[in-house]
Amino acid sequence: MTNRTFTMIKPDATLNGSTGGILGMINAAGFRIVAMKMVHLSAAKAGEFYAVHSERPFYGELVEFMSRGPITAAILEKENAVEDFRKLIGATNPAQAEEGTIRKKYATSIGENAVHGSDSDENAAIEGSFFFSKLEQF
Ligand code: GDP
């Protein structure tokens, strides 16, 4: 079944010039971009997006990192999009990410790991609508 996932190219990747390379890997893996924009999140907005992690010890670092520079937010469509995109990005910690994954190539640490990918269809819909109205999804 064709479905959708949500991604962000995170500030580390934006600031080191990796946005184009990451979008190229996403395209080469067969995802169709149905919405996309660059946004510089405020700390408050980054905290809201990651509210589910608010009790975790790394929450403060995560909010600081995600509001450090612009991100590229996008909704992607493909058969089996959520699961296939998680495979394409690789493990949260780049030291454990497989060869050929985005995080293996572009991430530097467990916190600064270049990309986000939704972990379920339900979260993909919630996260996509955090950034995009219906009119901005094609
Ligand atoms: P993901 O689904 O692979 O992105 O991983 P999680 O949902 O577990 O964590 C969300 C994000 O929080 C990760 O992508 C990292 O940016 C950050 N994060 C997770 N674990 C750590 C950690 O131990 N330290 C720091 N600084 N950030 C972390």
Side-chain angles (χ1 to χ4, degrees):
M1 199 186 90
T2 301
N3 63 9
R4 291 180 173 195
T5 192
F6 171 77
T7 187
M8 289 183 286
I9 298 173
K10 297 184 178 183
D12 56 333
T14 306
L15 296 172
N16 70 21
S18 301
T19 304
I22 292 172
L23 289 173
M25 286 181 76
I26 291 171
N27 273 331
F31 291 87
R32 189 171 79 84
I33 295 168
V34 300
M36 186 162 74
K37 65 172 119 180
M38 283 183 86
V39 183
H40 192 147
L41 293 171
S42 62
K45 274 284 167 199
E48 198 185 319
F49 184 87
Y50 281 110
V52 65
H53 292 309
S54 61
E55 302 302 317
R56 309 280 286 274
F58 57 81
Y59 181 66
E61 264 176 51
L62 179 58
V63 167
E64 183 283 319
F65 165 56
M66 289 302 296
S67 57
R68 188 187 300 159
I71 57 111
T72 297
I75 298 174
L76 307 173
E77 188 174 78
K78 186 184 177 295
E79 212 174 282
N80 206 28
V82 167
E83 196 184 331
D84 285 4
F85 193 69
R86 294 288 299 193
K87 278 190 201 138
L88 178 64
I89 67 178
T92 308
N93 185 346
Q96 283 147 21
E98 285 181 34
E99 281 303 331
T101 62
I102 293 174
R103 283 170 169 166
K104 180 73 181 181
K105 184 160 184 191
Y106 291 105
T108 49
S109 68
I110 190 167
E112 307 205 359
N113 58 6
V115 279
H116 168 81
S118 304
D119 62 6
S120 66
D121 287 346
E122 189 193 4
N123 283 338
I126 293 168
E127 293 167 2
S129 63
F130 187 90
F131 286 93
F132 300 101
S133 73
K134 285 269 178 274
L135 282 172
E136 296 171 308
Q137 302 179 33
F138 301 97

